[in-house]
Amino acid sequence: MTTDGTKQLKCHAIPPGEVLVQKFTESRAPELDSLCSTVASRLNDDFRSQRNKRRRTTGFDNRASKTRFRNNNKKQKVGILNQAKSDESLEKNVNRAPPRHIRRKKELNKNLETGFCVSGDGTKRLRMHVWHAKRFTMTKRWGFHLPLGLHGSGKGSRALLKWIKNGTLVHDASYYNAVQLQGSQVMFFSYLFFLSVKPQIIICIFDYFLYHFSFNCCFVFLQDSLLSILSTIMSPFSSSDTENVLSGGVYSSSMLHHAGANSSRTIAPVIYMWRPVQQSTNAESVCDRTSELRQLWIWIHAAALTEGYNALKSVCESQGKVRCISLEGQFGTLEVMGSKASQLFQKILHPVSSTSEKSSFLKKCSSVEAVDEHTPCFGIAPLIVKDPRGLTNENTEFDQSCTDLWDAEKGLYCPLEESVLCMEKHHQRLVSFCLADTHSVVVNASTGIHSSRVCPIMLLRRNNLMDSVTRWTIVLPLSWVKAFWVPFVSLGARAIGLRERSWVACEAGIPNFPSEFPECDSYSSLMEAEAAAMDKEAALRPASVKPFSNPIPPPWNCVRLAFETSQICSNESDAVAELALSDNDTAIARSSRMLSGFLNTINGDRLPIFPHFSDKNTCLSKIMKDEKILDHDLNIDSFLGNRCRKVCFVRVILRTFKEGAIEDGAVICAPRLDDIKLWISGSNGKCELQVPQSSVSSYFVKRDSGKWEYQLPEDPAVVESNRWPIGFVTSGFVHGSHKPSAGGLCDAMLLGRLRHEQWSSVPLKQRKKEIYVLTRNLRSTAYRLAVATIFLEHHQEDFDYI
C-alpha cells in the first residue's frame, strides 16, 4: 500500500515466544472440518482401506508349519501344553546354534591376521569372496572359490578393451603364493670369536669390509648356496644375475623345473626376488645384521603350488643349509592395469613421512609420482602407505613398530576395524558442527589383534601391455586386501575375473598360465576339468542336437605327421603310427637361448629361424635381405636324424590375412604355395578352401585309452583338401578388438621350412618377416589365411605371464 508514491517497508511479525495449543486448534477447526467433509463426499463416507491397496502381511501365509507354530504359541499362553515340554523346548532354543546364513556371514566378515576362510569341502575363499559372489559367476579352481567372470554368456569384451585403454582394471590375485628360501649367514671372520678377540676389533673389521665391499662379502657363502639351488631347479637360469636383481631392486622370471636331468617336466613359470641388502656403517646396526638372513621369495601360481613347493623343499633338504618356508595365507596380491592406473595410485597410495633406515626408499620417492618415475620395468618399489580408508586430513607419521613384509613370520599388523573408523568419522563430523564434547576422546575397541594405521606394501612394475599401458602388482598383507579393494573400486577401478583377465592377456600378447603352458602338469589338470565340464553339459542335451566332441586338450603329438608329407601315403597307417609323439617327446622354447640350443642339436643353422639377438645392430630385417641366406637346400631328413628326437614348439602371434575369427583350440596348418597365391590374388582376398562337412567330426579321433589322435584321411577328395597340422591355438581372438590377435604354439622346424619355401618363391624385396599359415576352427570347414610372428625373434625371453 502506497500513499505518496514511495514504498512502505514491510515489517515481518515476530513469532510469539509461546504457542497455546488449544487456541491454535480452535482457529484451525473450521478448516479441518471442511477438509474432512470434502474427503467424505469423495469416498461416500467409506473410510475403510481398499483391499487391493493393503500391504502384504504374514497373515496371508497359510502354511501348516506357520499354523502349527501359532497354535502352539496360543496353547503356551493358556497353559494347555505340558510345562515340562515347554521348559525343554525353551532350553533347546537357548542352546540352538544360529542359522547357517548368520554363521557364514559372521565367519566371512572376520578379518583374520593370516589364512583364508575355508568352506565345508576344504575350498578356500578369498578375502573379497562375498563382494565377488554378489557380482560374478564363481567357480572352483586350484583349491579356491574364484570369480570366473561377470554374469551372462561371457560377452562384454568390447567394453573391457575400451576400459583398459581409458580406465583402470583391478583383479584379486591372492591365490598366488610365495615360497621363502633363507639360511643363516656364514661369516668369514667367525673364527675370531674362538680366539677371544675383543668385540670392538670385530666391529672395526666388519665395518671395514662393509665400507669397502658394500656388505656383499658377508653374504657370499649363503648367496652362493641360494644361487646353486636356483640353477638346479630353474631353467634357464644365469648364475651371474644383474646387480639390481641380487640387491632386491628388480625381480626376475624363469621356469621352475624338478631337480635332476634337463629332460624333467616343467612345473610353472615363477617370479623370484631377493631381499634388499641394507648398506650401513653404523656399528650398532652392524652387530644387529650379523644375525640377519639372506632371503629369497619365489612366487608360484596356486595351480602349481603343491608341486613347486615339494620340488623346492626336496632341493633345500639336500643342500642342508637353506630353509624352505611356505608363506601361504600371509600375503595378498592385487593386479592393477590400465592407462589411468598411475592416476588412481595418486588418490589411494599416500606414503608416510619417514626418517627410518628401513624405509630409505621413501627419501627418494616421497610420492607416487616419484615412484612411477623412478621405478623401471620389472622394478620393485617398497612403500609404507597410510590406510586408504582413513580421514583425508589425517597426518600419519611413520610407525617404528611397523613390520616389514620380509619379516612376515614375526607377524603383520591388521588394519583398524570398520567400527573404529566409523566412530572416528562420526566424531569428527560432530566436531565440525560444534555438537561434540571437546573433552570426549574416541576410544578404540579392543579386539585383541594388533592394528595399525599404516601398511607396508610392494609395488611391482610389470611389463607394459599394448600401447604402453602400465601394469602393476601390489603385494600387501592379506588382512589389508579389503582395506585397499573397496577404495580402488569406489574411485573408478573396474573389477575383473579370470575370463576377463584372459582377454587382457590375449589382447596384449602375454601368455596366460596355465592355459598356454602345455608343458606343465597344471595345464593337463585344467584341460581335464574343462573336458569333464563339456561332457557333462553335452550329456544333458538330446542326441538329435548333441554336438560332436572336440579334443581337449589338443593332440600336440600329431604335428610330427607333417614332417614327411610327401612320403606318407593314405595306406601307410604303420608309418603314421611311428611318427606320432608321446607327451614326453615335446619341448617348448621359452627363451632365445633355448631355441638356439635346439637348433644347434639338429644342425639347424640352415633353417631361417633367427632367435632374438642381443646385438642391436643385428636384426631380422637385415638378415632377411641377405641373398645367401637360402643357398642351402633344405632336406627334412637331414634334420630328423632319428624319429625319436623331440619336437620344439615356439609361441607365435597370429593375425588373419583379411577376415575371420580364430577360436581357442583351432588347428594351425601348413599352406601350399598355390593356396597363398589364390588368397592374395583372389577377389577381396578370399579363397574357398574347405574340408568336407563329413570329415570335420572325424578329423581327430578319440581312442579307447582316452587320448586323441589325428585321423589320416582315406578319401582322395579329402586328401586333396587336407592340410597338415603344425600347431594349435592356445588363446583365441578377443571380440571387439581393433587389431585382433591370437596366440598359438607351432613346431619351430616346420615354421622354418615354411619360411624357406615362401621366401624362395618371391623376389628378395618381397620377403616378409611373418610366415603365412592356415587356421581352421575345430567346428568349421573353412580354412583361413593368417600370418604368424615368432615371438622369440623379437624378444629375448617369453617368461612374462599373467
Side-chain angles (χ1 to χ4, degrees):
M1 179 177 180
T2 60
T3 57
D4 54 354
T6 61
K7 295 182 178 179
Q8 278 188 340
L9 297 176
K10 295 181 179 180
C11 297
H12 297 281
I14 300 176
E18 296 181 359
V19 177
L20 299 178
V21 179
Q22 184 176 1
K23 291 184 178 181
F24 178 78
T25 54
E26 290 177 356
S27 63
R28 303 286 294 180
E31 183 179 352
L32 293 175
D33 292 338
S34 62
L35 180 63
C36 182
S37 61
T38 304
V39 174
S41 62
R42 292 182 180 181
L43 296 178
N44 297 326
D45 295 330
D46 186 6
F47 291 94
R48 294 180 300 176
S49 61
Q50 299 181 12
R51 181 175 296 274
N52 60 341
K53 294 183 180 180
R54 290 179 182 177
R55 295 184 59 188
R56 285 184 172 270
T57 61
T58 55
F60 294 95
D61 192 355
N62 55 359
R63 289 180 296 179
S65 59
K66 293 289 183 179
T67 306
R68 190 185 312 114
F69 180 75
R70 290 197 300 268
N71 293 337
N72 290 338
N73 289 340
K74 292 179 181 179
K75 292 179 180 179
Q76 287 180 1
K77 290 181 180 180
V78 298
I80 298 178
L81 290 179
N82 190 2
Q83 187 68 25
K85 290 184 179 182
S86 62
D87 295 341
E88 184 180 356
S89 62
L90 291 175
E91 184 178 358
K92 287 183 179 180
N93 292 333
V94 172
N95 298 329
R96 183 183 301 173
R100 177 182 177 274
H101 69 279
I102 296 179
R103 289 184 281 111
R104 183 171 179 267
K105 182 178 180 180
K106 183 179 180 180
E107 179 184 1
L108 293 177
N109 286 338
K110 291 181 180 179
N111 191 19
L112 304 176
E113 294 185 12
T114 58
F116 299 94
C117 295
V118 181
S119 60
D121 57 352
T123 308
K124 304 172 187 176
R125 294 189 178 98
L126 299 176
R127 287 301 175 95
M128 299 305 301
H129 172 78
V130 177
W131 192 95
H132 284 106
K134 292 180 179 179
R135 298 164 176 86
F136 288 81
T137 300
M138 306 298 290
T139 182
K140 290 185 180 180
R141 284 188 184 178
W142 315 310
F144 283 88
H145 288 284
L146 298 179
L148 178 62
L150 296 175
H151 294 295
S153 58
K155 297 181 180 180
S157 57
R158 188 186 302 272
L160 179 74
L161 297 179
K162 291 182 180 179
W163 197 269
I164 194 173
K165 292 182 180 180
N166 303 314
T168 308
L169 303 178
V170 61
H171 176 72
D172 188 0
S174 299
Y175 47 86
Y176 280 87
N177 296 281
V179 177
Q180 178 174 296
L181 303 183
Q182 69 178 22
S184 302
Q185 295 182 15
V186 182
M187 296 300 190
F188 62 91
F189 56 86
S190 59
Y191 297 101
L192 297 177
F193 288 98
F194 299 97
L195 299 178
S196 301
V197 180
K198 294 182 179 181
Q200 292 81 1
I201 301 177
I202 298 175
I203 294 175
C204 293
I205 296 175
F206 197 20
D207 191 12
Y208 174 80
F209 278 94
L210 284 174
Y211 181 77
H212 290 280
F213 298 99
S214 302
F215 199 70
N216 288 334
C217 59
C218 304
F219 296 94
V220 62
F221 297 105
L222 179 60
Q223 185 169 293
D224 289 345
S225 300
L226 292 174
L227 289 175
S228 63
I229 290 178
L230 296 182
S231 61
T232 304
I233 59 177
M234 291 187 182
S235 176
F237 176 77
S238 176
S239 59
S240 59
D241 269 347
T242 60
E243 183 179 356
N244 289 333
V245 176
L246 295 177
S247 63
V250 176
Y251 71 88
S252 184
S253 303
S254 183
M255 298 294 294
L256 184 64
H257 292 258
H258 288 281
N262 295 330
S263 59
S264 59
R265 194 169 180 85
T266 307
I267 298 177
V270 295
I271 292 175
Y272 64 95
M273 60 182 69
W274 294 81
R275 180 168 187 167
V277 178
Q278 300 292 341
Q279 299 182 3
S280 177
T281 58
N282 189 5
E284 296 180 359
S285 62
V286 166
C287 294
D288 295 337
R289 295 189 187 282
T290 56
S291 60
E292 191 175 292
L293 303 177
R294 191 70 166 121
Q295 296 177 353
L296 173 74
W297 281 352
I298 301 177
W299 291 91
I300 308 177
H301 193 276
L305 177 62
T306 304
E307 184 182 4
Y309 174 71
N310 293 335
L312 289 169
K313 187 176 182 180
S314 61
V315 175
C316 293
E317 290 176 352
S318 62
Q319 288 281 347
K321 300 179 181 179
V322 180
R323 293 176 56 198
C324 181
I325 305 172
S326 176
L327 300 179
E328 184 180 4
Q330 296 283 347
F331 303 116
T333 55
L334 300 179
E335 294 181 349
V336 184
M337 59 196 79
S339 60
K340 295 185 179 180
S342 300
Q343 300 178 12
L344 190 60
F345 283 167
Q346 297 175 13
K347 300 178 182 178
I348 297 177
L349 305 182
H350 301 285
V352 298
S353 58
S354 170
T355 58
S356 176
E357 180 182 328
K358 66 172 66 177
S359 60
S360 59
F361 183 83
L362 295 178
K363 298 179 181 179
K364 180 175 67 175
C365 300
S366 58
S367 62
V368 179
E369 298 91 331
V371 171
D372 193 5
E373 180 181 355
H374 289 88
T375 305
C377 191
F378 306 106
I380 304 174
L383 294 175
I384 298 178
V385 298
K386 302 177 184 178
D387 190 341
R389 307 167 302 163
L391 304 179
T392 57
N393 57 353
E394 179 183 16
N395 296 324
T396 306
E397 296 294 333
F398 177 74
D399 187 4
Q400 297 291 340
S401 62
C402 182
T403 307
D404 193 2
L405 288 180
W406 288 96
D407 299 325
E409 291 182 325
K410 301 179 182 179
L412 298 173
Y413 286 174
C414 295
L416 292 175
E417 292 187 357
E418 293 285 346
S419 59
V420 178
L421 292 178
C422 293
M423 187 188 307
E424 292 180 354
K425 293 180 180 179
H426 177 66
H427 179 75
Q428 185 181 12
R429 199 175 295 113
L430 293 179
V431 170
S432 63
F433 288 103
C434 301
L435 297 176
D437 186 4
T438 56
H439 300 287
S440 63
V441 180
V442 180
V443 181
N444 294 345
S446 59
T447 58
I449 300 178
H450 299 289
S451 58
S452 176
R453 296 182 183 271
V454 296
C455 175
I457 65 172
M458 285 186 185
L459 284 179
L460 276 63
R461 186 161 191 168
R462 307 296 296 272
N463 189 18
N464 291 339
L465 298 174
M466 64 286 189
D467 300 332
S468 300
V469 176
T470 57
R471 183 164 60 109
W472 297 84
T473 296
I474 306 177
V475 181
L476 69 166
L478 187 60
S479 59
W480 282 82
V481 170
K482 185 177 181 179
F484 280 81
W485 180 270
V486 176
F488 269 115
V489 177
S490 301
L491 293 178
R494 179 174 179 178
I496 60 174
L498 297 177
R499 184 192 298 132
E500 292 87 0
R501 188 169 176 262
S502 63
W503 291 343
V504 174
C506 182
E507 180 69 12
I510 301 175
N512 185 24
F513 182 82
S515 59
E516 297 188 52
F517 289 82
E519 69 270 31
C520 305
D521 291 337
S522 304
Y523 172 84
S524 303
S525 302
L526 178 63
M527 293 296 106
E528 290 177 1
E530 290 185 359
M534 291 190 66
D535 293 342
K536 183 178 180 180
E537 182 181 357
L540 300 177
R541 298 183 178 184
S544 58
V545 296
K546 183 180 298 184
F548 61 88
S549 57
N550 289 329
I552 299 178
W556 298 96
N557 54 0
C558 72
V559 297
R560 176 68 71 88
L561 295 175
F563 281 162
E564 298 182 355
T565 56
S566 59
Q567 286 80 8
I568 296 179
C569 301
S570 60
N571 55 357
E572 291 180 352
S573 58
D574 295 337
V576 173
E578 291 180 4
L579 292 176
L581 288 174
S582 62
D583 295 337
N584 297 327
D585 294 333
T586 59
I588 298 178
R590 296 290 180 180
S591 66
S592 299
R593 184 182 303 177
M594 295 176 62
L595 182 57
S596 300
F598 166 74
L599 296 177
N600 293 333
T601 56
I602 63 172
N603 299 325
D605 53 348
R606 294 175 291 172
L607 282 172
I609 296 293
F610 313 103
H612 179 72
F613 297 96
S614 58
D615 185 8
K616 296 182 179 180
N617 296 327
T618 306
C619 59
L620 181 58
S621 59
K622 293 183 179 181
I623 297 176
M624 61 187 295
K625 302 300 182 183
D626 188 3
E627 297 180 356
K628 300 180 180 180
I629 196 67
L630 301 179
D631 289 347
H632 302 284
D633 184 18
L634 287 183
N635 185 6
I636 200 67
D637 294 330
S638 62
F639 298 106
L640 281 175
N642 56 70
R643 292 183 176 180
C644 296
R645 71 156 188 86
K646 287 187 176 181
V647 172
C648 182
F649 289 92
V650 292
R651 195 165 70 92
V652 296
I653 305 298
L654 301 171
R655 298 184 184 275
T656 55
F657 181 71
K658 283 293 182 180
E659 60 181 11
I662 303 178
E663 300 176 354
D664 291 343
V667 59
I668 306 174
C669 302
R672 300 174 184 175
L673 295 178
D674 297 337
D675 301 336
I676 302 175
K677 293 179 181 179
L678 288 175
W679 248 290
I680 296 177
S681 61
S683 60
N684 296 328
K686 292 184 179 180
C687 179
E688 297 297 333
L689 179 60
Q690 296 183 352
V691 296
Q693 182 66 38
S694 58
S695 63
V696 173
S697 59
S698 61
Y699 194 80
F700 295 106
V701 178
K702 189 175 184 180
R703 302 300 180 186
D704 296 337
S705 60
K707 293 186 177 181
W708 291 83
E709 294 182 0
Y710 177 76
Q711 180 69 26
L712 189 66
E714 299 180 357
D715 189 358
V718 179
V719 173
E720 181 62 25
S721 61
N722 178 61
R723 299 297 181 267
W724 295 99
I726 63 173
F728 293 92
V729 175
T730 55
S731 60
F733 276 6
V734 179
H735 297 281
S737 176
H738 296 289
K739 294 182 179 180
S741 61
L745 294 173
C746 296
D747 181 31
M749 179 181 293
L750 295 180
L751 287 176
R753 183 182 182 185
L754 286 177
R755 176 177 280 173
H756 187 277
E757 293 178 355
Q758 295 171 13
W759 282 3
S760 302
S761 61
V762 296
L764 181 63
K765 295 183 179 180
Q766 296 182 6
R767 293 177 183 176
K768 294 185 178 181
K769 301 178 184 179
E770 297 83 5
I771 304 173
Y772 287 107
V773 295
L774 295 179
T775 61
R776 187 182 66 83
N777 298 329
L778 295 182
R779 298 188 184 276
S780 176
T781 61
Y783 286 99
R784 299 287 184 182
L785 184 66
V787 290
T789 302
I790 301 177
F791 188 84
L792 291 179
E793 289 186 343
H794 303 273
H795 300 81
Q796 192 73 22
E797 295 176 346
D798 192 18
F799 298 139
D800 191 20
Y801 64 98
I802 193 171

